């Protein structure tokens, strides 16, 4: 349970995954995590999002504008948290290091324009994507 809760901080989600062990492979575990993620109640989603750390600032890359982009990103994170009352969450798996800053800045700016209900749906999907990625890493590290 403790390991599963590091993937998604919802006890019912983790309990569902633990109750259905063993899984034949990582893909089956991730599919079960997706299914359980779709069943989170609004209160469970809020609680899980409250436990999520803010999306880390992507590594600074050399070049003009990097400091300004990081400053803009920190300001956007603060605006997001004020507007939606939880940390900005995003799964950036599949992007190269040199794309992370641009992708994060674009996503947060786009999502700041969302209505609260729309953003709740987007944040829920990002939470599921993060849990899926974490479950994949957990499966590799705990055969």
């Amino acid at each position: 349970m403790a390991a599963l809760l590091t993937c998604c901080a919802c006890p019912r989600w983790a309990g569902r995954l633990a109750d259905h062990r063993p899984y034949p492979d990582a893909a089956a575990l991730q599919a079960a995590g997706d299914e359980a993620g779709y069943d989170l109640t609004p209160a469970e989603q809020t609680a899980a999002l409250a436990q999520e750390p803010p999306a880390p600032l992507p590594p600074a890359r050399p070049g003009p504008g990097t400091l300004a982009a990081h400053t803009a990103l920190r300001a956007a994170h603060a605006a997001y948290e004020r507007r939606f009352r939880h940390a900005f969450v995003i799964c950036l798996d599949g992007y190269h290091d040199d794309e992370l800053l641009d992708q994060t800045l674009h996503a947060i700016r786009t999502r700041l324009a969302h209505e609260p209900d729309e953003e709740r749906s987007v944040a829920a999907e990002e939470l599921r994507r993060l849990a899926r990625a974490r479950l994949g890493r957990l499966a590799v590290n705990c055969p």
Side-chain angles (χ1 to χ4, degrees):
M1 281 292 289
L4 290 170
L5 286 169
T6 66
C7 298
C8 179
C10 175
R12 188 171 66 88
W13 178 91
R16 268 181 70 176
L17 269 65
D19 289 347
H20 291 95
R21 292 172 306 174
Y23 294 93
D25 54 33
L29 174 62
Q30 290 171 313
D34 286 345
E35 184 179 329
Y38 284 112
D39 292 339
L40 293 182
T41 66
E44 289 170 330
Q45 181 185 337
T46 297
L49 285 168
Q51 296 300 313
E52 282 293 316
L57 288 176
R61 59 179 193 249
T66 300
L67 180 59
H70 271 263
T71 301
L73 189 54
R74 279 192 294 277
H77 272 274
Y80 182 94
E81 289 182 19
R82 275 192 310 274
R83 177 160 165 72
F84 297 112
R85 300 184 185 268
H86 61 80
F88 174 74
V89 292
I90 187 170
C91 182
L92 293 167
D93 286 7
Y95 290 103
H96 296 285
D97 286 349
D98 63 344
E99 299 173 298
L100 297 178
L101 182 59
D102 292 337
Q103 289 297 327
T104 304
L105 196 51
H106 173 74
I108 199 167
R109 285 178 172 162
T110 299
R111 290 170 56 186
L112 272 167
H114 289 169
E115 292 299 318
D117 288 342
E118 180 182 12
E119 181 53 27
R120 177 169 283 286
S121 294
V122 173
E125 180 59 27
E126 291 299 322
L127 191 60
R128 280 189 293 277
R129 291 180 65 215
L130 286 167
R132 172 179 265 281
R134 292 168 182 162
L135 284 170
R137 288 189 290 276
L138 182 66
V140 168
N141 293 326
C142 299

